[in-house]
Amino acid sequence: MEYEGDPQENIGKPYERGMLPYGGGVGKGGLIAFVVTKKEFDDKMRRLDEAGVC
């Protein structure tokens, strides 16, 4: 598995394409306000799959 880095380290930085691979939010001025980690993304996708949504 390739190391992807800690997405939390992008909080407060100006958004550039590709910085939020699993999602997140950009606030005023184009600064990253929050990020979604791979674990959070995988957990959400698993729950949606179990619910028959996707």
Side-chain angles (χ1 to χ4, degrees):
M1 182 169 109
E2 185 176 321
Y3 176 71
E4 297 178 355
D6 180 9
Q8 297 285 339
E9 62 192 27
N10 289 322
I11 295 174
K13 294 182 180 178
Y15 174 73
E16 294 177 20
R17 185 174 177 87
M19 291 177 77
L20 302 173
Y22 303 106
V26 179
K28 283 189 170 182
L31 299 179
I32 296 174
F34 70 94
V35 297
V36 176
T37 65
K38 179 171 181 11
K39 182 183 181 324
E40 292 168 332
F41 177 83
D42 289 344
D43 288 345
K44 184 174 185 176
M45 291 296 110
R46 179 188 46 77
R47 289 191 316 270
L48 289 171
D49 187 44
E50 289 172 356
V53 176
C54 57

